[in-house]
Amino acid sequence: MKPRRDQHPGRPAGESGGLARALSKLGYCSRSQARALIQAGRVRVNGVPRRDPEWRVNLERDRLQVDEQAVRGEAKVYLMLNKPRGLVTTAADEQGRETVFECLAGKGLPFVAPVGRLDKASEGLLLLTNDTAWAARITAPESHLDKTYHVQVDCLADEDLARRIQAGAEAEGELLAARRVSVLRHGTRNSWLEIVLDEGKNRHIRRLLAALGVGVMRLVRVTIGPLPLGDLAKGQFRHLTSSEVRDLAG
C-alpha cells in the first residue's frame, strides 16, 4: 500500500507535524507568515518545493529551506515587554495597525510570538518567546497562572462594587468573574482597582465591568504569576532570567 502523501514511509505519525507549524516552532516566523511563504512556493522540504502548509515533516530528519536557505532552530529567547497602549498583539495586522513588534525592531532578535494577548487599548506586561512548548504550558487553562491588573474605572468604586466584580456577571452568555478584587485609590470622579484573574477569556475584564455598568479608562497588567512588571519603561523589553523562565512554567 502506498503511504498517504502526508506521511513518510516507516515513520511514526506522532513524530511529525505540519510544515507551517514547523517553521513557527523553529522560530523562523509566525504560522500565518509561514503559510504565505509555503503557498508562494518559497519553502522546500528535502530539496522539493511544497505548497501545502499541512505537509507533514519531522524536524529531526527533514531539511527545511526558505528561498533555498536552510532553516535551523534558533536559540530559545524569553522576553518581557511593557506594552504601550495603541499597539496590537500580533505579528502582522491585516488592517495595517502598529504592532508590539515595533518595540523589538532592529534589536537582532529571532522571531518571537506573544504568549497570550493584551488588546489594543490595554497596557503592561506581555511575554514573548520562540519556545512554543513553554508558551503552551503558561497559557494552558489548567496552569491557573494568576494575572494581576490595575484598572482605572469611571466611577467611585467601593467594597460593594469590588465584591460584585469578584462574584462575576454574565456577558454574552458567558459567566465572567475575578479571583480577587480590591480598591487601590480614588480620584475625584474615578478609581483604581486591582483585579486578579486566574483565567484569560477574550477582553475578560472589560466585558465583566461593562456587564456591571462600569467603564474602563485604563487597564494595565502588572504581574503574570510570580513575575512583576516592575520599573520596566513603557515600550521597552528585557530578557527573562533562567529562574524567571523556570518559575513561570511551574
Side-chain angles (χ1 to χ4, degrees):
M1 180 184 294
K2 286 186 177 181
R4 297 200 332 250
R5 71 168 184 75
D6 63 344
Q7 291 182 329
H8 294 270
R11 181 174 304 168
E15 293 183 8
S16 60
L19 180 53
R21 182 177 182 274
L23 287 173
S24 174
K25 190 171 184 178
L26 286 170
Y28 186 83
C29 60
S30 72
R31 200 175 302 189
S32 60
Q33 290 169 331
R35 294 182 69 87
L37 290 171
I38 294 162
Q39 291 168 344
R42 296 170 59 185
V43 180
R44 293 172 179 258
V45 179
N46 300 324
V48 180
R50 298 297 183 193
R51 292 178 178 267
D52 180 1
E54 300 306 321
W55 183 269
R56 308 296 286 184
V57 296
N58 184 302
L59 291 178
E60 294 182 359
R61 303 182 187 181
D62 292 324
R63 293 179 293 105
L64 307 188
Q65 295 171 294
V66 176
D67 296 332
E68 300 187 6
Q69 297 296 312
V71 178
R72 298 181 176 87
E74 298 277 1
K76 300 302 184 186
V77 174
Y78 308 89
L79 307 175
M80 59 178 287
L81 168 72
N82 186 348
K83 176 195 174 296
R85 186 173 185 172
L87 301 182
V88 294
T89 307
T90 184
D93 183 64
E94 66 281 356
Q95 299 178 38
R97 296 172 295 181
E98 289 190 334
T99 77
V100 293
F101 289 88
E102 304 288 335
C103 302
L104 310 181
K107 303 299 183 181
L109 296 167
F111 174 78
V112 291
V115 181
R117 290 180 178 270
L118 281 174
D119 64 41
K120 181 181 177 183
S122 299
E123 312 164 49
L125 181 55
L126 180 68
L127 301 175
L128 302 105
T129 188
N130 59 357
D131 186 339
T132 55
W134 182 80
R137 288 198 300 274
I138 290 175
T139 56
E142 59 270 18
S143 72
H144 294 294
L145 197 63
D146 283 355
K147 299 176 181 67
T148 303
Y149 301 81
H150 287 177
V151 185
Q152 187 181 27
V153 295
D154 62 355
C155 63
L156 294 177
D158 54 19
E159 294 304 320
D160 178 65
L161 176 60
R163 283 191 293 270
R164 289 193 290 128
I165 296 170
Q166 187 166 324
E170 187 173 302
E172 301 164 343
E174 188 173 28
L175 179 61
L176 303 174
R179 182 167 182 175
R180 291 191 304 275
V181 182
S182 59
V183 180
L184 291 176
R185 59 185 181 274
H186 293 292
T188 55
R189 289 181 292 182
N190 55 69
S191 307
W192 281 89
L193 301 172
E194 181 172 274
I195 300 178
V196 179
L197 303 180
D198 62 359
E199 58 181 347
K201 296 176 181 176
N202 182 43
R203 301 182 74 250
H204 191 129
I205 292 175
R206 295 181 187 277
R207 293 165 60 211
L208 169 56
L209 293 180
L212 296 171
V214 177
V216 173
M217 300 172 68
R218 285 186 67 190
L219 191 155
V220 185
R221 185 157 63 196
V222 295
T223 71
I224 297 176
L227 181 69
L229 179 61
D231 58 2
L232 186 65
K234 191 172 295 186
Q236 298 299 303
F237 72 90
R238 71 166 176 84
H239 292 262
L240 300 183
T241 67
S242 56
S243 61
E244 288 170 337
V245 172
R246 184 176 59 252
D247 291 346
L248 280 164

